[in-house]
Amino acid sequence: EEIGRLMAAARNLFSPRKLRCHTYYHLVGLLATTGMRSGEAVRLANSDVNLAEGLITIRESKFGKSRVVPLHPTTVNSLARYKARRDAFLKKAEAPTFFINERRGPIGSPHKSFRDIRCAAGLEKTRDQIRPRMHDLRHTFAVQTLLGWYRNGADVERNLPILSTFLGHSQVENTYWYL
């Protein structure tokens, strides 16, 4: 429910050229559905996003690791709509990154815009008085994945290395704390 509120607030974000709101709507959605780090998503090159295959390649991320992240078909469709809107906005100009700002450059400070989105979504403070951060979408993805495995009777311990690889952790031990 809260992620839905964040995405709705992103869609209504102040956007003079009508691109910023779409950029952040899709960025929040991508982070929520893949557990990527926000910096990984912001740095994605166009060539890293293969919508035909439904794959994202994350290059030289934390600890110099690279990985390939599969996308759900609904995420592929949503990113394809963003790309079409972005390409129309660019008018045949080259984009430096997949997600761009309204000056046709890379996103500079996504955390400031996320703060605006969070406030607009009414999520400025939680019960424990901690403000949600962009990175919390990653934690939510990891915990929801584990909960889904438990609910479906999956062997969580056996699947943990899969989640660790998916998240780009350097060692599976770094994923245990989600348990």
Side-chain angles (χ1 to χ4, degrees):
E1 185 265 336
E2 290 176 343
I3 291 171
R5 286 170 48 194
L6 287 169
M7 292 183 73
R11 185 161 262 160
N12 293 318
L13 196 60
F14 176 70
S15 188
R17 296 184 180 160
K18 304 296 181 224
L19 183 71
R20 180 176 181 237
C21 55
H22 295 287
T23 296
Y24 279 94
Y25 172 84
H26 289 90
L27 178 61
V28 169
L30 182 65
L31 295 175
T33 59
T34 63
M36 292 172 64
R37 296 175 181 96
S38 58
E40 294 171 340
V42 168
R43 286 189 302 273
L44 287 172
N46 290 308
S47 60
D48 295 334
V49 181
N50 184 336
L51 297 176
E53 297 291 325
L55 300 171
I56 287 182
T57 303
I58 300 169
R59 300 179 194 283
E60 298 296 316
S61 190
K62 196 171 181 180
F63 307 114
K65 293 187 73 168
S66 297
R67 67 188 188 283
V68 176
V69 175
L71 300 173
H72 189 274
T74 58
T75 304
V76 171
N77 292 337
S78 185
L79 290 177
R81 286 191 303 275
Y82 169 73
K83 185 178 181 316
R85 183 179 295 271
R86 183 204 69 173
D87 290 351
F89 176 82
L90 288 168
K91 298 178 183 162
K92 298 185 182 183
E94 285 293 317
T97 54
F98 185 75
F99 292 109
I100 62 169
N101 63 33
E102 292 191 336
R103 293 180 310 277
R104 296 179 169 87
I107 297 172
S109 56
H111 298 284
K112 181 192 177 309
S113 291
F114 187 78
R115 183 175 57 238
D116 296 342
I117 293 165
R118 180 184 67 216
C119 290
L123 297 171
E124 187 53 22
K125 297 254 177 149
T126 60
R127 282 172 273 170
D128 53 5
Q129 300 300 308
I130 297 173
R131 295 180 173 124
R133 306 161 302 148
M134 262 180 126
H135 198 70
D136 294 330
L137 293 168
R138 178 175 169 82
H139 299 309
T140 299
F141 172 84
V143 170
Q144 290 301 316
T145 298
L146 290 171
L147 287 173
W149 287 343
Y150 277 116
R151 288 179 182 132
N152 292 327
D155 184 342
V156 174
E157 194 145 340
R158 184 174 181 189
N159 286 337
L160 207 57
I162 296 168
L163 179 60
S164 184
T165 300
F166 199 88
L167 293 171
H169 287 162
S170 57
Q171 299 173 359
V172 73
E173 292 82 15
N174 297 330
T175 313
Y176 283 132
W177 78 276
Y178 287 113
L179 294 172

